[in-house]
Amino acid sequence: MSESKVFEARFGVGQRVPRKEDARLLSGGGRYTDDINLPGQAFACLARAYMAHGLIKSIDVSAAQKAPGVLGVFTAKDFDAEGIAGIPNIFPLKGRDGTPLKVPFVFGLARDRVRHVGQAIAVVVAKTFAQAKDATELIEADIETLEPQTDMTTAAEASPLFGDVPTNVVLDWFQGNDEATNEAFAKAAHVTRMRLDNNRLVVAAMEPRAVVASWDKADEKFTVYSPSQGAFGLRGALCAVFKLPPQKMRVISGDVGGSFGMKGQPYDGTVATMFAARKLGIPVKWCADRQESFLSDHQGRASLIDAELALDKDGHFLAIRLKGWGDVGAQVTMMGPVSPTAVLSSNLPSVYKFGAMSVSVKAVLTNSVPTGPYRGAGRPESKYIVERLIDQAARETGLDRVEMRRRNLVQPADMPFKTVNGPVLDSGDFPGCLEDALKRADWSGFAMRKAASAQRGKLRGIAVSTYLEHTAGPGKELADVRFNDDGSVTLITAGKDFGMGHATPFAQILAQQLGLPFDRIRLDQSDSDQLSGPGGSGGSRSAVASSGAILNVSQKIIEKGTQFAAQVLEAAAGDIEFREGNFRVVGTDRQVNIMDLAARAKTLKGEDGAPLKLDAWVSHDTAPATYPNGAHVGEVEVDPETGVVEIVNYVVVDDFGTMINPMIVEGQVQGGIVQGIGQALMERTVYDDQGQLITGSFMDYCLPRADDLPSFDFTARPVPAKTNPLGVKGCGEAGCAGGLPTIVNAVIDALAERGVTHIDMPLTPARVWEALQRKKAAYLDR
């Protein structure tokens, strides 16, 4: 085997190559935004509202301005005076009647009213952070308390929270066919109905939001250090806010400690810090503490859906109908209410054949922290709805829940299959994933394990859920390859790694295509000034988008290299072939390695007399959506005396098409499942009737820990996608989609023998115990 073939076997596509960045990050070598310090910088602190809804009569900052070390104090009046724009929305959604999404004007600081606890009302800049924080306590805000709207169902009909939006319903979303759906329900042999609450969640990324901003007065240009999901996208949003052209805005995103959708937009801290830096003419730094994160990071999920499933006498799905609400909080964020509306409905059919569907969701403003995309962004919600309905329908009809799924699955022979809502599924073996998962989980042996649990006084439950995600659709993605003088190769993409591990799989693709030394490839996604094209990460698009871009740029490099090699080898370009990292004259042993050619090309002259470069870049038109899918089986034990749930077994079989790096894929799946477990069993953001956040710290908001988790049995049953050249399917959010319904259905299966068939998430010990006690009391009262 040739040296390059040995190399490809070790580092090519499909190999379990360890992540490049782990040694650096695990040894404390990460460089996050809060690690950035600029000469002469000052520090910002935001004064935040203590009430959920109030009319701002005045804000007196005079005492704060005189406090020790204070350099400036700014409010919305200062923003208005300089024409700062509102934070934009990038999803032009339209409602049932074609009415566009209503986006009330909101920028970095509260203008006329405060609309949620924690909304920023002023920013203080001082020589030290302690001085800035102390000065915020001196700000006197005269705010008249107004009645808060904390319930999305009643807020829809309440007085509007914004003067420039006539109603709190900013979008009346609809997708489907009402007539066909109503006809299907009219002829159904059975209809299952459930009200399903997708609990609001705190994102809780490891790294809090932060920004360091400087303003170059001579060039009239910002330099902004901030975590993001793509420096290109954040630059565009900030340019819109400050009304600047792209060349006047530089965004640098170094290491990012998690996002899950939350860091995909600018926030109050970003805008306020940048404003202060420009106003004062010095660098300014701000970093949120964890309490601020609870009060001002956008939150996730938060929908309430009345769901109905119509079946014929044999358990076939005739139609599905949803009506409900999505809570967008006190602001339409940059990505807006896309999760409980467009993404929910586009993902609803999953792996099943439905005759008809109808989805009506009102996106409603409330006096709470704004919501936005959170890992899966509507996909886990849709799977939770469908899979809960199926298990309940099986329970009500007496049909076997696995058999009901089997009867309704899209079959491999049906591909390409046009779903009831329009998208065309290109690939997949849904029955195969289901059967593999059942076998690996020993589904047939569950009865014996249940009996053994009963002998120990425990209730045991098991559940299977299938899922399919409609990942992010077509767009643009950059791939820019530069051969450096030190013998390294820099790959620049506009997508951003915020924990996914891009450096390794992207290098695997590039190394395989061009025969480059894997260990010499460096990934750079940090600096918008280095980005020659658009792109970004989100919606499980990174592998699909960037792999296509890397393949494109590789071909461009081969074409350029062929011309260069013809000069070096003194042959006609038509006689040059590229194989295993070498340009070779066909039929001879005369060749030049691509790395040597890149170095030698710089000694040659082009037609314009300039040195030649093997460097190349492309702005790639990305492939259509992919459809990752799979089946999860979860098994739990419940202690009826305490309500404590223990996950005792978890099996997942996934189809992600071609897996560039199976080890990284498995890690992504495990992380997603854990977040699904968190929502299912313990996480919930709670407000009181005055809009005060009750779960405002990790003392009150529970996240899953290692000892809450089982070992995960992961295996793949890949069917390559036909929508992109490598055949990859997005994997970053899939674990949430399968994990959420699986855990809830398993717990309900355990409790069903005691008469409990539904509990709203999270299924905490208290809720489980209370549900069992209610059923016990009802039984004794009969």
Side-chain angles (χ1 to χ4, degrees):
M1 183 181 291
S2 69
E3 182 179 347
S4 61
K5 284 293 184 183
V6 171
F7 172 83
E8 183 176 317
R10 290 177 58 201
F11 297 108
V13 170
Q15 301 305 308
R16 297 175 66 88
V17 182
R19 296 185 358 154
K20 282 173 170 275
E21 67 272 33
D22 282 355
R24 175 177 63 86
L25 296 176
L26 292 172
S27 61
R31 186 168 170 79
Y32 300 90
T33 298
D34 194 41
D35 294 320
I36 305 297
N37 291 291
L38 302 180
Q41 75 183 12
F43 296 84
C45 184
L46 296 170
R48 297 188 177 277
Y50 55 85
M51 63 180 64
H53 194 197
L55 181 65
I56 299 175
K57 292 187 172 182
S58 66
I59 301 176
D60 184 353
V61 300
S62 57
Q65 289 172 328
K66 299 173 185 176
V70 170
L71 303 174
V73 184
F74 307 104
T75 68
K77 289 183 178 179
D78 300 294
F79 280 30
D80 266 339
E82 300 207 6
I84 302 299
I87 294 173
N89 176 270
I90 63 173
F91 281 96
L93 300 174
K94 292 186 177 181
R96 177 189 290 267
D97 61 359
T99 301
L101 168 69
K102 304 176 185 70
V103 182
F105 183 93
V106 174
F107 54 27
L109 301 175
R111 195 181 197 186
D112 55 346
R113 297 190 196 184
V114 296
R115 294 180 174 87
H116 71 87
V117 173
Q119 185 175 8
I121 61 172
V123 58
V124 177
V125 181
K127 294 178 181 179
T128 69
F129 175 72
Q131 289 172 331
K133 188 170 185 179
D134 287 344
T136 62
E137 302 295 331
L138 302 177
I139 294 173
E140 295 184 5
D142 183 4
I143 303 175
E144 178 185 338
T145 302
L146 301 174
E147 185 68 24
Q149 301 297 329
T150 59
D151 186 321
M152 68 184 97
T153 64
T154 56
E157 309 299 329
S159 299
L161 299 181
F162 286 87
D164 56 341
V165 174
T167 171
N168 293 329
V169 178
V170 295
L171 181 69
D172 186 3
W173 174 261
F174 175 77
Q175 185 180 24
N177 186 320
D178 269 342
E179 182 177 355
T181 302
N182 292 339
E183 289 178 1
F185 272 87
K187 67 180 182 182
H190 181 81
V191 174
T192 290
R193 296 180 173 89
M194 303 185 76
R195 171 166 280 198
L196 296 168
D197 179 11
N198 246 280
N199 36 320
R200 178 188 278 251
L201 304 177
V202 166
V203 176
M206 288 176 63
E207 177 202 21
R209 289 186 292 112
V211 61
V212 182
S214 66
W215 171 253
D216 187 320
K217 187 174 181 180
D219 288 344
E220 296 186 323
K221 181 175 181 176
F222 275 114
T223 298
V224 181
Y225 297 85
S226 181
S228 72
Q229 293 193 185
F232 189 95
L234 182 56
R235 182 185 71 177
L238 293 175
C239 284
V241 172
F242 285 91
K243 301 178 183 177
L244 292 173
Q247 64 270 24
K248 297 299 182 181
M249 186 74 66
R250 183 185 185 190
V251 173
I252 301 174
S253 290
D255 290 321
V256 178
S259 173
F260 311 113
M262 181 268 291
K263 292 174 183 167
Q265 67 170 43
Y267 287 81
D268 51 13
T270 314
V271 176
T273 303
M274 291 174 63
F275 179 89
R278 185 169 69 176
K279 195 73 174 174
L280 297 172
I282 58 174
V284 179
K285 179 177 184 176
W286 171 81
C287 182
D289 62 28
R290 190 55 67 176
Q291 184 180 49
E292 280 187 287
S293 295
F294 273 87
L295 292 173
S296 61
D297 292 358
H298 87 224
Q299 297 173 352
R301 310 294 190 236
S303 64
L304 184 65
I305 301 294
D306 290 322
E308 300 175 286
L309 178 64
L311 306 96
D312 70 11
K313 61 181 179 61
D314 296 315
H316 295 109
F317 302 158
L318 300 179
I320 187 168
R321 181 164 56 201
L322 310 184
K323 293 182 180 179
W325 303 265
D327 188 346
V328 303
Q331 173 191 339
V332 176
T333 56
M334 194 169 94
M335 299 183 190
V338 66
S339 301
T341 58
V343 181
L344 173 71
S345 58
S346 67
N347 281 266
L348 190 63
S350 191
V351 294
Y352 302 112
K353 298 178 181 179
F354 288 97
M357 67 170 264
S358 171
V359 178
S360 301
V361 179
K362 288 180 169 61
V364 185
L365 293 164
T366 63
N367 292 117
S368 59
V369 174
T371 61
Y374 172 73
R375 197 171 191 171
R379 302 179 187 94
E381 295 95 312
S382 69
K383 302 303 158 285
Y384 178 70
I385 291 167
V386 170
E387 297 297 319
R388 288 289 292 120
L389 281 170
I390 293 173
D391 265 28
Q392 185 63 17
R395 192 172 291 113
E396 292 172 354
T397 61
L399 295 173
D400 180 78
R401 51 188 163 153
V402 174
E403 182 58 31
M404 182 177 285
R405 287 175 169 84
R406 288 182 178 129
R407 293 180 188 181
N408 289 282
L409 287 174
V410 175
Q411 301 297 311
D414 296 328
M415 302 294 179
F417 179 80
K418 186 174 182 180
T419 60
V420 68
N421 59 343
V424 177
L425 310 183
D426 65 290
S427 59
D429 180 4
F430 311 149
C433 286
L434 174 62
E435 300 306 327
D436 280 1
L438 294 172
K439 183 177 180 180
R440 294 184 69 87
D442 187 22
W443 185 273
S444 61
F446 173 71
M448 293 180 61
R449 298 192 295 277
K450 184 178 179 69
S453 294
Q455 290 181 347
R456 293 182 287 107
K458 301 291 182 69
L459 306 175
R460 197 176 188 104
I462 193 170
V464 60
S465 296
T466 55
Y467 80 91
L468 177 141
E469 289 193 307
H470 180 162
T471 64
K476 294 280 189 180
E477 184 55 60
L478 166 72
D480 186 342
V481 175
R482 303 177 185 180
F483 292 84
N484 305 314
D485 292 340
D486 65 359
S488 65
V489 178
T490 299
L491 168 63
I492 298 173
T493 73
K496 182 61 186 170
D497 181 349
F498 40 90
M500 299 89 82
H502 286 175
T504 303
F506 291 3
Q508 287 176 257
I509 301 169
L510 190 63
Q512 179 168 293
Q513 291 301 305
L514 297 179
L516 299 174
F518 174 82
D519 57 358
R520 295 192 194 177
I521 300 172
R522 304 170 182 169
L523 179 65
D524 187 353
Q525 305 172 313
S526 62
D527 190 342
S528 66
D529 273 8
Q530 296 297 314
L531 300 180
S532 50
S537 296
S540 298
R541 76 183 295 273
S542 296
V544 177
S546 290
S547 66
I550 293 169
L551 293 179
N552 278 183
V553 79
S554 297
Q555 186 58 42
K556 195 170 182 178
I557 289 170
I558 292 170
E559 292 169 0
K560 289 181 71 174
T562 298
Q563 299 299 320
F564 297 170
Q567 293 188 51
V568 171
L569 299 173
E570 298 180 344
D575 293 333
I576 302 294
E577 66 175 357
F578 180 75
R579 293 177 57 191
E580 300 178 6
N582 297 300
F583 293 91
R584 177 183 294 109
V585 179
V586 176
T588 75
D589 61 357
R590 294 168 57 210
Q591 65 181 25
V592 59
N593 180 265
I594 188 171
M595 295 296 290
D596 294 334
L597 181 63
R600 294 179 65 178
K602 296 175 183 179
T603 68
L604 305 176
K605 302 292 183 181
E607 293 181 0
D608 59 358
L612 296 176
K613 290 184 177 181
L614 198 53
D615 303 356
W617 75 276
V618 297
S619 178
H620 171 66
D621 292 317
T622 64
T626 64
Y627 300 97
N629 61 88
H632 292 222
V633 178
E635 197 165 333
V636 302
E637 272 193 342
V638 179
D639 184 342
E641 299 303 318
T642 64
V644 171
V645 175
E646 180 185 0
I647 304 169
V648 294
N649 191 35
Y650 203 100
V651 169
V652 55
V653 178
D654 281 321
D655 168 16
F656 296 125
T658 301
M659 291 187 292
I660 302 167
N661 188 315
M663 182 168 59
I664 291 179
V665 168
E666 185 172 350
Q668 286 286 295
V669 171
Q670 290 181 359
I673 294 171
V674 170
Q675 285 182 278
I677 290 170
Q679 181 177 359
L681 298 182
M682 55 195 74
E683 295 186 53
R684 180 175 175 240
T685 304
V686 180
Y687 291 88
D688 67 15
D689 58 5
Q690 293 303 305
Q692 293 291 334
L693 182 61
I694 303 301
T695 51
S697 75
F698 289 133
M699 294 293 290
D700 313 293
Y701 187 93
C702 186
L703 291 176
R705 271 72 169 176
D707 60 356
D708 296 313
L709 307 173
S711 293
F712 296 105
D713 181 328
F714 170 85
T715 190
R717 190 184 177 99
V719 181
K722 298 178 180 179
T723 58
N724 62 86
L726 270 188
V728 299
K729 300 175 183 179
C731 72
E733 297 161 299
C736 274
L740 189 60
T742 300
I743 293 300
V744 174
N745 276 340
V747 175
I748 296 301
D749 181 59
L751 303 181
E753 65 180 81
R754 301 282 183 96
V756 177
T757 58
H758 177 69
I759 305 174
D760 282 328
M761 295 187 292
L763 280 66
T764 61
R767 287 187 171 188
V768 171
W769 184 85
E770 287 169 359
L772 288 170
Q773 296 306 305
R774 283 195 298 270
K775 285 297 180 181
K776 182 178 180 180
Y779 175 80
L780 294 175
D781 288 343
R782 285 189 300 177

